[in-house]
Amino acid sequence: MLKKYTKSQLALRNGQDRDEIWIAFKGFIYDVSDSRLWRNGKHYEHWAGQDLTDELKDAPHTDKVFEKFIVVGELA
C-alpha cells in the first residue's frame, strides 16, 4: 500500500527546498530526482512539486515515460 501525500507535502519536493524532486501524474507521485531532465526541479516549462496531469496532455511523449520512475506514493 502506497503512502498518501497532500498537495502541500508534494510541493515541498520541488527540487529547491530539499533534494527530492517529485511530481504527480494521474494520482501517483513519482520520484524524478535521478532524471537529468529534471535538474533543479524544472523540466522545460514544468515545475516539480505539483500535479502535472493536465499539463502533460500537450507533452511530446506518452504516459509510458513514467514507467522508468519509482512511484513513491499517491496524491491524497
Side-chain angles (χ1 to χ4, degrees):
M1 186 164 182
L2 293 169
K3 183 174 177 179
K4 293 194 183 292
Y5 293 91
T6 64
K7 284 189 175 186
S8 297
Q9 290 171 310
L10 174 61
L12 295 173
R13 276 81 174 185
N14 61 11
Q16 306 292 313
D17 304 319
R18 39 175 100 169
D19 292 337
E20 298 154 318
I21 303 174
W22 292 2
I23 58 166
F25 182 72
K26 293 188 175 179
F28 293 100
I29 298 173
Y30 296 87
D31 184 342
V32 295
S33 304
D34 291 336
S35 172
R36 63 180 175 76
L37 298 175
W38 277 98
R39 290 290 166 245
N40 302 316
K42 189 171 192 286
H43 173 62
Y44 296 99
E45 72 275 6
H46 305 292
W47 291 93
Q50 56 187 318
D51 185 354
L52 300 179
T53 303
D54 291 336
E55 290 184 36
L56 291 181
K57 289 179 197 146
D58 300 326
H61 53 71
T62 66
D63 298 5
K64 289 198 177 293
V65 72
F66 291 99
E67 292 175 2
K68 60 183 165 185
F69 299 113
I70 296 169
V71 175
V72 292
E74 288 183 90
L75 195 56

